[in-house]
Amino acid sequence: MAGLYLAALLVPSGCMVLLDRRFRLVLWSTPRSSARALVLTLGIGIVFFLLWDLAAIASGHYRTGQSPAMTGIELLPDLPLEELVFVSFLAYTTLVLRGLLARAMPRRRERRRRAA
């Protein structure tokens, strides 16, 4: 059962990558130079959430739970591997949703113009 939580994070992450690639929402939406900027944005989001977690750990608001579904691998005290995967998924999902909205909004505006 160890690693079940990690698998539960990696499977939807893989699905998000496939969705991104299929509809060219984030990493496959632009030329390479812009893709680098998006990867940098993703990295900044991951660092932001990790700093948030580290602040919560330092203040005593967060501790690693004990679960047989977790791998037991800790990157730092009270910072499990699964947390890194989770914050990466969270940051990437945010960018994919932004890509979906950016694609949907011009179409919605165009429909409103035609109706007016």
Side-chain angles (χ1 to χ4, degrees):
M1 184 170 269
L4 184 62
Y5 179 49
L6 182 61
L9 291 169
L10 290 175
V11 169
S13 296
C15 292
M16 195 65 62
V17 170
L18 292 173
L19 181 71
D20 177 17
R21 183 173 174 128
R22 166 64 178 90
F23 294 104
R24 300 182 186 277
L25 299 171
V26 180
L27 298 178
W28 286 274
S29 67
T30 60
R32 276 204 160 148
S33 60
S34 297
R36 286 188 198 123
L38 289 170
V39 169
L40 179 64
T41 303
L42 181 62
I44 290 170
I46 292 168
V47 168
F48 171 78
F49 286 120
L50 283 177
L51 289 174
W52 183 310
D53 282 349
L54 291 174
I57 290 167
S59 67
H61 287 89
Y62 178 79
R63 284 186 325 155
T64 301
Q66 301 301 321
S67 169
M70 295 179 66
T71 61
I73 299 170
E74 288 192 356
L75 305 173
L76 294 171
D78 291 321
L79 184 67
L81 171 65
E82 291 86 355
E83 186 66 16
L84 174 63
V85 175
F86 174 73
V87 298
S88 301
F89 175 71
L90 185 63
Y92 188 55
T93 299
T94 303
L95 286 176
V96 169
L97 286 173
R98 183 223 164 262
L100 280 169
L101 289 174
R103 183 174 282 189
M105 293 309 285
R107 291 179 183 168
R108 185 175 177 190
R109 287 184 191 133
E110 184 61 33
R111 283 187 215 138
R112 284 185 179 175
R113 283 186 200 147
R114 287 185 206 161

